[in-house]
Amino acid sequence: MRVRNDGTAFGHATRLTPFAMRFFFRNFAGQIWSCCGRPCCPLLLVLGCSLLTGCGYSTKRPFSTDIQTIHVEMFQSKEFRRELEFRLTESVIKRIEMDTPYRIAPRKTADAVLTGEILKVENRTFGKDFDTNLPREIGSTVVVRFRLQDLRTGAILVERPRFVFQTSYIPPVGETFTQGMTRAMDGMAVQIVEAMESTW
């Protein structure tokens, strides 16, 4: 089970996570292998794996197969820091290519389009270093809105009017605002792609 950004739960009860797979092999594979000390034992191991997959378990992420290609438009931004929308757009494209079965395509040939806007970036200071007078830690909150729309039917597949990601960076150890924002844009991209998993 996963939790959406708005706090509601969703997911598939039969989905086998990589953690569960590691748990199975760590706790049971050795017993299966050594149960009889004969060459046929690998067959039992295969049987155990077959039982898991045969019950509908899958390690694949549940992305819809209704669309094959996505066009990602440049994110808009209400922030005066004009480079943030470029970083977020680039991070989202890379994450879609890495984590989904979808291909990036021009708008005129894509099945769906992803659009969005950076609404706000807020920074908060947590204490100050007495020697350098620099903030000990700065927390950053990034708020965006985005929409995934089917270009063939016009249907809205995913829409989040207010999507929040929080991170922090530590100036006393040399971390800068730029590094903090890079981390924030990468993290936000991960969450956006996770929100695209099939709930529609």
Side-chain angles (χ1 to χ4, degrees):
M1 182 177 68
R2 303 180 69 85
V3 179
R4 295 193 184 96
N5 190 262
D6 61 5
T8 60
F10 72 101
H12 302 282
T14 59
R15 180 182 175 188
L16 187 64
T17 64
F19 173 80
M21 289 290 291
R22 290 195 298 270
F23 178 84
F24 170 78
F25 284 106
R26 184 182 299 115
N27 290 276
F28 301 107
Q31 297 178 23
I32 294 174
W33 180 266
S34 59
C35 63
C36 60
R38 293 196 298 270
C40 64
C41 289
L43 296 176
L44 297 178
L45 182 59
V46 172
L47 177 61
C49 296
S50 299
L51 290 174
L52 288 175
T53 57
C55 293
Y57 291 103
S58 174
T59 58
K60 292 183 178 180
R61 296 176 65 174
F63 289 102
S64 173
T65 57
D66 291 339
I67 61 175
Q68 303 295 323
T69 55
I70 292 179
H71 174 69
V72 180
E73 289 193 354
M74 178 67 65
F75 273 69
Q76 303 299 308
S77 179
K78 292 185 177 180
E79 283 290 312
F80 67 90
R81 303 177 183 90
R82 304 309 302 173
E83 75 279 1
L84 297 181
E85 64 269 32
F86 296 103
R87 293 179 184 171
L88 180 56
T89 303
E90 181 181 11
S91 294
V92 169
I93 290 174
K94 288 182 178 178
R95 189 55 57 181
I96 289 174
E97 292 175 333
M98 291 173 56
D99 293 350
T100 79
Y102 307 137
R103 301 188 310 275
I104 300 299
R107 185 184 178 102
K108 63 180 180 181
T109 61
D111 297 330
V113 60
L114 180 69
T115 59
E117 182 179 24
I118 299 174
L119 302 177
K120 181 171 32 177
V121 176
E122 291 183 340
N123 292 313
R124 291 183 301 166
T125 299
F126 301 107
K128 285 193 174 182
D129 187 278
F130 292 110
D131 295 328
T132 64
N133 202 36
L134 292 172
R136 291 184 181 274
E137 184 177 4
I138 297 178
S140 295
T141 299
V142 180
V143 183
V144 307
R145 64 174 180 84
F146 72 91
R147 172 188 291 177
L148 180 65
Q149 183 176 14
D150 193 319
L151 287 173
R152 301 161 300 181
T153 65
I156 305 300
L157 304 178
V158 180
E159 185 168 26
R160 298 290 188 274
R162 181 178 172 83
F163 209 60
V164 180
F165 182 81
Q166 294 180 316
T167 188
S168 64
Y169 60 99
I170 306 174
V173 299
E175 292 187 336
T176 64
F177 173 80
T178 299
Q179 291 173 313
M181 286 300 97
T182 298
R183 187 180 302 137
M185 296 303 107
D186 290 344
M188 178 62 79
V190 170
Q191 289 196 168
I192 288 174
V193 171
E194 287 180 348
M196 292 165 54
E197 292 183 0
S198 301
T199 57
W200 33 281

